[in-house]
């Protein structure tokens, strides 16, 4: 729901480990740009929850550099279509951890895809639990769906990789979209985009809503890089994000500055 007046929404896309790039961008933007609300999907939701809770950029980056808090997927010994291919224990532990450590100080929404209706829904704080954060990262086939109050949910980025419409529903009147997924990087991302266009909501933005979209200026890597944690990859992506964020500040010169009142 809108709090009235102009609202700058930070929209954080899905992207697995690629979302470390978002942490670098946020370090560049945080001192300069006022953020009024946050909407995140999948890995972007795991960035958005701490950011909404006041996590400093350097602390967020430290989390990405620590394998105990960012290396969340382990191959199962007997993977399969019904069980999934990765264990959910590490992801569950991390979502529970960040849920305990942070509580949003600004409006926060997490995107989920509801099954079997196959539609995107946005759950907003204070109705968000650690299970919602985990569910938003439950990539179909890779991880099992999460059941919450009798409803099954999966990855919030499969129909709309960046939850733009969720941010608009929350009242955003201008958007900064951090899209960690480059559509042409790997075949399954191209397929995901086609599915989103076929089944997801229209990407049409209402007139009068200013949108600045940022994506990595360089390729981040192959599919394995997005799944299997390597410190050198995380460091490179964070550095690239910071450079991309600094370069984007000129595009954001009309956005309210950090520290200004709403």
């Amino acid at each position: 729901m809108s709090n009235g007046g102009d609202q700058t929404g930070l929209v954080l896309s899905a992207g697995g480990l690629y979302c470390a790039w978002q942490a670098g961008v946020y370090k560049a933007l945080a001192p300069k740009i006022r953020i009024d609300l946050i909407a995140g999907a999948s890995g972007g939701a795991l960035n958005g929850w701490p950011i909404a809770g006041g996590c400093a950029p350097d602390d967020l980056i430290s989390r990405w550099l620590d394998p105990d808090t960012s290396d969340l997927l382990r191959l199962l010994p007997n993977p399969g279509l019904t069980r999934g291919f990765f264990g959910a224990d590490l992801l569950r532990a991390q979502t529970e951890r960040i849920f305990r450590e942070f509580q949003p100080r600004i409006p926060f929404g997490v995107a989920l895809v509801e099954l079997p209706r196959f539609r995107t829904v946005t759950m907003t704080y204070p109705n968000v639990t650690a299970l919602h954060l985990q569910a938003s990262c439950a990539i179909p086939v890779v991880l099992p769906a999460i059941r919450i109050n009798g409803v099954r949910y999966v990855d919030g980025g499969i129909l709309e990789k960046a939850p733009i419409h969720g941010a608009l529903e929350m009242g955003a009147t201008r958007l900064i979209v951090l899209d960690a997924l480059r559509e042409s990087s790997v075949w399954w991302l191209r397929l995901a985009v086609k599915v989103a266009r076929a089944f997801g909501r229209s990407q049409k933005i209402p007139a009068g809503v200013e949108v600045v979209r940022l994506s990595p200026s360089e390729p981040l890597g192959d599919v394995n890089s997005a799944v299997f944690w390597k410190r050198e990859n995380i460091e490179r992506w964070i550095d690239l994000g910071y450079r991309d964020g600094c370069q984007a500040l000129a595009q954001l010169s009309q956005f309210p500055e950090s520290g200004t009142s709403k």
Side-chain angles (χ1 to χ4, degrees):
M1 298 293 292
S2 172
N3 293 324
D6 289 337
Q7 301 276 296
T8 300
L10 179 65
V11 180
L12 302 170
S13 78
L17 293 175
Y18 291 160
C19 291
W21 171 84
Q22 296 172 348
V25 178
Y26 181 64
K27 181 176 181 179
L29 301 189
K32 303 291 186 180
I33 305 298
R34 189 190 79 208
I35 302 300
D36 300 314
L37 61 88
I38 297 174
S42 195
L46 300 189
N47 276 333
W49 181 268
I51 292 173
C55 184
D58 285 339
D59 290 340
L60 185 64
I61 287 171
S62 293
R63 288 172 174 271
W64 277 103
L65 293 172
D66 182 353
D68 290 338
T69 55
S70 62
D71 188 7
L72 304 180
L73 294 178
R74 291 287 188 275
L75 279 169
L76 291 170
N78 297 302
L81 292 178
T82 56
R83 298 186 63 217
F85 287 83
F86 291 86
D89 290 349
L90 294 177
L91 175 61
R92 179 171 60 251
Q94 176 59 0
T95 54
E96 291 174 350
R97 176 176 177 176
I98 66 170
F99 185 80
R100 290 193 306 269
E101 291 183 2
F102 299 97
Q103 291 295 300
R105 302 176 185 178
I106 60 176
F108 171 84
V110 56
L112 308 163
V113 171
E114 178 187 331
L115 299 179
R117 299 178 68 181
F118 209 57
R119 64 164 188 160
T120 301
V121 297
T122 303
M123 189 66 64
T124 56
Y125 181 78
N127 297 315
V128 176
T129 69
L131 276 179
H132 291 99
L133 297 176
Q134 182 183 347
S136 190
C137 300
I139 305 169
V141 180
V142 175
L143 289 166
I146 302 298
R147 188 176 294 273
I148 304 173
N149 297 326
V151 180
R152 291 186 302 134
Y153 297 100
V154 293
D155 192 305
I158 62 173
L159 297 183
E160 187 181 13
K161 60 178 178 173
I164 290 172
H165 288 84
L168 294 173
E169 290 168 2
M170 294 168 65
T173 57
R174 61 177 74 86
L175 299 172
I176 302 171
V177 182
L178 305 189
D179 184 358
L181 292 175
R182 294 167 60 100
E183 292 183 7
S184 61
S185 56
V186 288
W187 70 267
W188 61 270
L189 294 183
R190 295 195 297 270
L191 178 61
V193 171
K194 291 181 180 178
V195 172
R197 287 172 178 167
F199 296 99
R201 289 182 289 185
S202 169
Q203 290 289 310
K204 185 177 181 180
I205 306 300
V209 176
E210 184 176 0
V211 182
V212 174
R213 298 174 185 259
L214 307 181
S215 60
S217 58
E218 301 174 5
L220 299 185
D222 60 16
V223 62
N224 287 334
S225 299
V227 175
F228 299 107
W229 189 93
K230 288 185 179 180
R231 185 181 180 92
E232 56 266 35
N233 286 340
I234 300 295
E235 290 177 339
R236 181 172 70 85
W237 298 338
I238 290 170
D239 289 345
L240 177 64
Y242 182 72
R243 296 198 304 271
D244 290 343
C246 289
Q247 187 172 6
L249 286 174
Q251 295 177 259
L252 299 167
S253 60
Q254 301 303 313
F255 281 46
E257 296 181 0
S258 179
T260 60
S261 59
K262 297 182 183 180

